[in-house]
Amino acid sequence: DAGVIQSPRHEVTEMGQEVTLRCKPISGHNSLFWYRQTMMRGLELLIYFNNNVPIDDSGMPEDRFSAKMPNASFSTLKIQPSEPRDSAVYFCASSPDRVAADTQYFGPGTRLTVL
Amino acid sequence: GESVGLHLPTLSVQEGDNSIINCAYSNSASDYFIWYKQESGKGPQFIIDIRSNMDKRQGQRVTVLLNKTVKHLSLQIAATQPGDSAVYFCAEIVYNQGGKLIFGQGTELSVKP
């Protein structure tokens, strides 16, 4: 298995632009998670899906952030408009378990820089 | 609020020595704990897990110890190798509180040759 796939690996954009991050979970996994990692705040859970349905989005910082999972093999995290404070590494993870979190497999991350 | 944290932000060990990375947690209702390893430029990688009804679990060169009395978790790495250099995170789950994985701050392990 190729593992969790994320694209792009690096993204540099200007403040105000829309950013879309993409994730392909491991085939057969029921749960998908989006995290943000910064030096100041560590790893933060933004949102997670179970069977393509958003279960908990309490970690999404504000309305500028949105996430979708149109099918079992694809998810997007969108930031519109982007701000410099959104600069971070964004990880997608998937889990084979029906219950939210157990063992999660992480993708390589997308390093986002907002100028 | 409830949190998971690490005692030491950095740890430097000599190659071949054993490493011990510690983690304190505050939620006595935590059901499950996981240790992750994150190498530079990569996502966290699962190392070993332990359920709250256990006090010890062993893997290949790694052992996790859970002391629920003092809410302490540790990761022991035997015969530490340069490839073990990374940031190590402990994480906890409370199933009846949303089941989310909550990560601690991380400890950076540096192995000197």
Side-chain angles (χ1 to χ4, degrees), chain B residues 76-98:
Chain B
Q76 300 178 0
I77 304 173
T80 313
Q81 303 169 358
D84 295 326
S85 294
V87 177
Y88 290 81
F89 295 93
C90 65
E92 64 174 344
I93 297 173
V94 183
Y95 289 126
N96 65 3
Q97 293 181 13

Side-chain angles (χ1 to χ4, degrees), chain B residues 11-73:
Chain B
L11 177 65
S12 182
V13 300
Q14 202 70 36
E15 181 179 359
D17 288 350
N18 296 335
S19 301
I20 300 177
I21 301 172
N22 296 304
C23 177
Y25 65 95
S26 57
N27 192 341
S28 57
S30 293
D31 299 294
Y32 182 63
F33 302 88
I34 305 175
W35 280 101
Y36 281 89
K37 171 186 180 183
Q38 186 176 20
E39 296 174 281
S40 180
K42 298 183 178 179
Q45 178 185 10
F46 172 88
I47 302 174
I48 192 168
D49 59 357
I50 188 167
R51 302 276 173 189
S52 60
N53 61 354
M54 303 170 66
D55 53 22
K56 181 179 180 179
R57 191 162 189 216
Q58 287 185 291
Q60 187 176 14
R61 282 203 306 119
V62 294
T63 301
V64 56
L65 299 178
L66 176 62
N67 185 332
K68 293 182 287 294
T69 301
V70 295
K71 299 192 191 108
H72 185 266
L73 189 70

Side-chain angles (χ1 to χ4, degrees), chain A residues 37 48 56 91 101-104, chain B residues 32 36 38 43 95 98-100:
Chain A
Q37 186 176 42
Y48 80 86
D56 186 341
F91 289 103
D102 283 31
T103 305
Q104 296 181 21
Chain B
Y32 182 63
Y36 281 89
Q38 186 176 20
Y95 289 126
K100 294 184 290 189

Side-chain angles (χ1 to χ4, degrees), chain B residues 94-110:
Chain B
V94 183
Y95 289 126
N96 65 3
Q97 293 181 13
K100 294 184 290 189
L101 196 59
I102 301 172
F103 283 85
Q105 294 178 330
T107 292
E108 182 173 6
L109 175 65
S110 176

